[in-house]
Amino acid sequence: MNMLIYLIPVALFLGALGLGAFLWSLRSGQYEDLDGAAWRILSDDNKPDDPRGH
Amino acid sequence: MSCCAPGTEGALDLLGALPSTEELLLSARDLGNGMKQTDLGVPDVYCGACIATIEKALGAMPAVEKARVNLSTKRVSVLWHESVDGETTDPVEIVRTIVTSTGYSAHLFNDAEEAADALKSQLLRGVAVCGFAAANIMLLSVSVWSGADASTRDMFHWISAMIAAPALIYGGRFFYQSAWNVIRRGRTNMDVPIALAITLSYGVSLWETMHHGHHAWFDATVSLLFFLLIGRTLDHIMRERARASISGLARLSPRGAMVLGADDVREYRPVSDIRPGDRIAIAAGERIPVDGIVESGASDLDVSIVNGESAPHPVTKGASVQAGMLSLTGSLVLQATAAARDSFLSEIMSLMEAAEGSRAGYRRLADRVAQFYSPAVHLLAITAFLSWGLLGGDWKQAMLISIAVLIITCPCALGLAVPVVQVVAAGRLFRNGIMVKDGSAMERLAEVEMIVFDKTGTLTVGRPRLLNGGEIDASHLSMAAGLAAHSRHPLSQTLYTRHTGSVPFFEGVEERPGEGLQGFSGGRTYRLGSRRFACDQNSAGASASSEVVLSVDGAELAAFRFEDRARSGAEAAMRELLSKNMSTAILSGDRAAVVERLAKRLSIDAWQSDLSPRGKTDAVSAFAEGGRKVMMVGDGINDAPALRAAHVSMAPATAADIGRQAADFVFMHESLAAVPFAHEMSRRAGTLIRQNFGLAIGYNVIAVPIALAGYATPLIAAVAMSTSSLIVVANALRLNHVRAGERAVAQDAELEISPGARTA
């Protein structure tokens, strides 16, 4: 049962990582224009774009 | 609908006036360093090509630093330099670039509605945190159920408790706040049993954990919260999307006006700063911002949005005008008689406040269910507690069983039953160009037995159509078009767009408001306008249709007759409504002859004409008092009180601001097929909601006896709760596969490309 001491924190950490990633993507405005993003992936000019504006 | 084809510069004139430089500067946000940001609504963009066209066109302008289109909210955000190489930037150029590159209109929207949607982010974060907590706790719970015992189980329970606590506070606060608000007012809603259940079950589970108990309910508590938050978030997103789309529409009331000072100094002021007594200059093509009296000048006013009359109204010195009218042909100087908030609109506002229709007393289906559901659940839990305690004598056992009852009956599926269906239905409507303000509107629409239409701008498009085009000699038509090219009058615009090919040139064309146009060619005087003006006659025949006469040196060449064009799909929509046994009626502010002819063509039996705003409201109330649930479809300022008085209401996207705000539904496409389609979808959504309630209650009928008998373990609760939620969601998604009516809306949208293909 000693392995639980590592495994549970590891599991929680990975979960928290996912949660953190979601909260980050939410804050950086990636959910603000879902319809637009679906079209933009098809557009040819590949310049990187920051959805937050400046 | 036409796609964003380049080379549609000609559309510029038809799309109406662009916002003025002053308006744009007033609304631009200053970012410092000589940078400004302007947000514009572009309600017509709908595909990737539109994004690319607009962003490319704007990006090519030297003044524009960056432009980004948001397709979901249909907005463009433009960052621009105040000046480039010493030259001041005119923001109108930005708007003009959008309009000419795509042929779509672009305009400002009200900044009051721009407040960032903080609640949506909060809800989404709540869902994320609860989802994280629920998944991890479930992981630990599965280990406990599969046989972890003694100290391992205790440790798992403690970890679960530590994960659950912050999630409950963070995600549960929406429910605690809402429950506290209704309890304070001595009422109850769905959130009361939810708040009670999660608090009690957490408390008991914690107590169990401390005493090395076998069962803890942390997983049920948090996954319950997770499901309920999803329902809450969906409900909010649906309303938000509708709100954003509606506020992005064309704004019909002006933002400011040119005020003339004492020494004829011109100053552009926001509408709210205009005082009675101020002199205001109105150019042709501008809307009148406040009530006033014409001090000098003459013009024809488009009054359709104010009182529903389709024919323009000539005004000269001394005439009184009302806010919202549009000056078509001449410029005017007005003396304001009222501030904006006291203008004609305020009269409408007070009528609207008085118009308390059946909707004021309407309670949402979910609330009506909650009214019986929550007392029943609490009663059941208390009964279980008392009977197990008194009969069995084991009060701890009794407590556990009553908690189990609360958890099992917690309206998890009920909380999802309504919002999921309404979100799916609203999504279907949205894809067909119909916005829904909130879920209760769909519930109310499903009950409607009678639909009442306004005429101008609702059943008709509010633009005239040439009736006798076939009888007119082609050379006369081109002459008339040559003169008409100089005017903004709707009849002239129609003549001009009707003619294709080159037009003859006229010298010294002048427009006389209220009369017509006059020009010279080859030494002869050509006139286009009213019969009296063109032929110097004094007889004014009262005709149901508008008439324009072309004359040379006072002799008549041709007479053009016009009639307002019915909205596409109007007849099909009426037939469909008739086939569903829906009664229809027209309530119009226009003249009887015009209304009667349209009513006949659309086979609508009941019609009333020459109605004031109050008259319309009274007519709607009279129908409602006859015991019928009435839906009002209208667009003008004069329809707003009636829209509010009706059980449910709908407005086209071209409606006045106030009409759109009063309406529950707003449809974007021209076709009237939106009306039967929205009704059909609402009816189906209502059926699915009832089915979902049936499923949720059926689940309770099975699960509650198990809980009462004391056999409900956390495992059973978790399985039962998830299953019922999934079934409800799956049932709601069936709405996506209903094919009704959608084709009609889509077909009519296609027809808009070629109006010639459509015959009345």
Side-chain angles (χ1 to χ4, degrees), chain B residues 572-620:
Chain B
M574 293 305 144
R575 270 199 306 277
E576 197 181 334
L577 290 175
L578 205 66
S579 72
K580 284 195 228 162
N581 286 328
M582 186 79 68
S583 47
T584 49
I586 300 180
L587 297 179
S588 176
D590 212 344
R591 292 154 295 157
V594 187
V595 181
E596 183 179 10
R597 214 179 31 219
L598 184 75
K600 259 199 197 121
R601 210 168 77 208
L602 297 176
S603 32
I604 297 174
D605 301 328
W607 56 270
Q608 295 178 37
S609 61
D610 301 296
L611 290 173
S612 64
R614 183 182 296 279
K616 287 196 181 196
T617 318
D618 290 346
V620 167

Side-chain angles (χ1 to χ4, degrees), chain B residues 120-363:
Chain B
K120 182 178 139 194
S121 306
Q122 280 175 15
L123 279 167
L124 274 178
R125 269 186 223 124
V127 171
V129 168
C130 286
F132 162 79
N136 282 292
I137 294 173
M138 201 52 91
L139 203 71
L140 297 167
S141 297
V142 169
S143 319
V144 173
W145 298 335
S146 39
D149 57 355
S151 60
T152 318
R153 185 183 58 212
D154 278 352
M155 182 176 70
F156 282 3
H157 280 169
W158 274 115
I159 297 173
S160 301
M162 281 187 284
I163 302 173
L168 281 196
I169 295 168
Y170 193 74
R173 65 187 198 279
F174 306 102
F175 299 98
Y176 287 127
Q177 275 162 7
S178 156
W180 173 240
N181 279 343
V182 290
I183 285 179
R184 227 178 14 188
R185 272 181 266 128
R187 294 216 312 271
T188 171
N189 66 3
M190 216 62 124
D191 292 337
V192 177
I194 293 170
L196 204 64
I198 53 178
T199 316
L200 281 180
S201 60
Y202 185 80
V204 166
S205 305
L206 199 62
W207 193 81
E208 279 286 284
T209 306
M210 285 180 204
H211 295 81
H212 312 288
H214 287 254
H215 295 312
W217 301 87
F218 296 116
D219 56 304
T221 312
V222 181
S223 42
L224 187 74
L225 198 58
F226 179 52
F227 283 127
L228 290 168
L229 268 178
I230 292 177
R232 186 64 50 104
T233 311
L234 287 179
D235 195 44
H236 178 77
I237 288 176
M238 179 184 80
R239 285 184 215 192
E240 190 48 37
R241 182 164 59 178
R243 197 192 61 78
S245 317
I246 290 165
S247 66
L249 290 172
R251 188 177 36 84
L252 284 165
S253 54
R255 189 173 286 253
M258 194 63 80
V259 176
L260 301 178
D263 317 314
D264 272 358
V265 183
R266 289 171 161 253
E267 183 196 358
Y268 193 82
R269 271 198 230 155
V271 166
S272 53
D273 288 354
I274 295 173
R275 310 259 167 274
D278 283 351
R279 292 166 68 230
I280 306 161
I282 306 286
E286 280 185 357
R287 239 170 238 283
I288 292 170
V290 295
D291 292 0
I293 293 173
V294 178
E295 204 177 86
S296 63
S299 180
D300 288 290
L301 296 184
D302 177 353
V303 297
S304 61
I305 209 97
V306 177
N307 64 9
E309 231 178 275
S310 48
H313 222 61
V315 290
T316 50
K317 183 174 177 339
S320 67
V321 293
Q322 286 166 327
M325 293 176 174
L326 174 70
S327 172
L328 290 167
T329 51
S331 37
L332 299 169
V333 175
L334 301 180
Q335 180 155 33
T337 53
R341 61 176 180 283
D342 305 321
S343 283
F344 170 66
L345 280 178
S346 72
E347 183 195 329
I348 295 288
M349 291 286 193
S350 60
L351 266 178
M352 282 174 74
E353 276 160 27
E356 283 242 328
S358 47
R359 74 168 69 187
Y362 185 83
R363 296 191 61 199

Side-chain angles (χ1 to χ4, degrees), chain B residues 458-513:
Chain B
T458 305
L459 283 174
T460 68
V461 288
R463 285 195 299 272
R465 180 178 64 117
L466 185 58
L467 275 182
N468 56 345
E471 306 160 15
I472 307 270
D473 191 280
S475 65
H476 293 159
L477 186 62
S478 78
M479 268 188 260
L483 276 171
H486 298 270
S487 170
R488 276 175 186 274
H489 196 285
L491 299 182
S492 304
Q493 294 279 351
T494 309
L495 268 178
Y496 180 61
T497 48
R498 173 66 195 252
H499 176 71
T500 49
S502 60
V503 293
F505 178 73
F506 290 92
E507 286 163 20
V509 177
E510 63 170 317
E511 178 159 30
R512 300 192 184 170

Side-chain angles (χ1 to χ4, degrees), chain A residues 1 4 8 11-12 15-16 19 22-23 26-27 31-36 39-40 45 49-51 53-54, chain B residues 46-48 51 55-56 66 68-72 79 121 124-125 128-129 132 136 140 152 155-156 159 163:
Chain A
M1 283 294 144
L4 285 180
I8 289 174
L12 286 177
L19 178 66
F22 175 76
L23 292 179
L26 188 66
R27 185 161 321 142
Y31 294 91
E32 267 161 33
D33 185 13
L34 294 175
D35 298 344
W39 282 101
R40 276 175 204 279
D45 38 279
D49 223 331
D50 181 0
H54 279 248
Chain B
Y46 71 104
C47 70
I51 301 182
E55 287 184 357
K56 213 168 280 171
K66 187 176 148 54
R68 188 162 175 104
V69 178
N70 185 328
L71 194 64
S72 308
L79 262 89
S121 306
L124 274 178
R125 269 186 223 124
V129 168
F132 162 79
N136 282 292
L140 297 167
T152 318
M155 182 176 70
F156 282 3
I159 297 173
I163 302 173

Side-chain angles (χ1 to χ4, degrees), chain B residues 369-450:
Chain B
V369 173
Q371 187 185 2
F372 299 105
Y373 194 80
S374 46
V377 166
H378 293 151
L379 212 64
L380 208 59
I382 289 172
T383 316
F385 178 66
L386 290 179
S387 43
W388 274 90
L390 291 175
L391 296 178
D394 183 354
W395 288 100
K396 189 191 144 204
Q397 167 82 348
M399 186 70 193
L400 284 177
I401 284 171
S402 67
I403 298 289
V405 169
L406 268 182
I407 290 177
I408 290 270
T409 55
C410 201
C412 193
L414 280 182
L416 284 171
V418 181
V420 174
V421 174
Q422 287 180 342
V423 164
V424 174
R428 274 294 291 277
L429 291 174
F430 187 79
R431 284 199 292 283
N432 288 286
I434 304 165
M435 311 290 151
V436 192
K437 288 261 181 72
D438 67 72
S440 89
M442 275 189 273
E443 294 173 16
R444 281 180 276 131
L445 179 53
E447 298 177 349
V448 157
E449 295 152 308
M450 177 176 195

Side-chain angles (χ1 to χ4, degrees), chain B residues 616-659:
Chain B
K616 287 196 181 196
T617 318
D618 290 346
V620 167
S621 311
F623 288 133
E625 271 158 32
R628 284 194 278 194
K629 300 267 201 300
V630 184
M631 157 142 157
M632 171 85 194
V633 187
D635 75 318
I637 294 173
N638 59 332
D639 297 319
L643 288 171
R644 179 58 60 85
H647 192 55
V648 60
S649 51
M650 194 160 178
T654 47
D657 275 348
I658 188 167

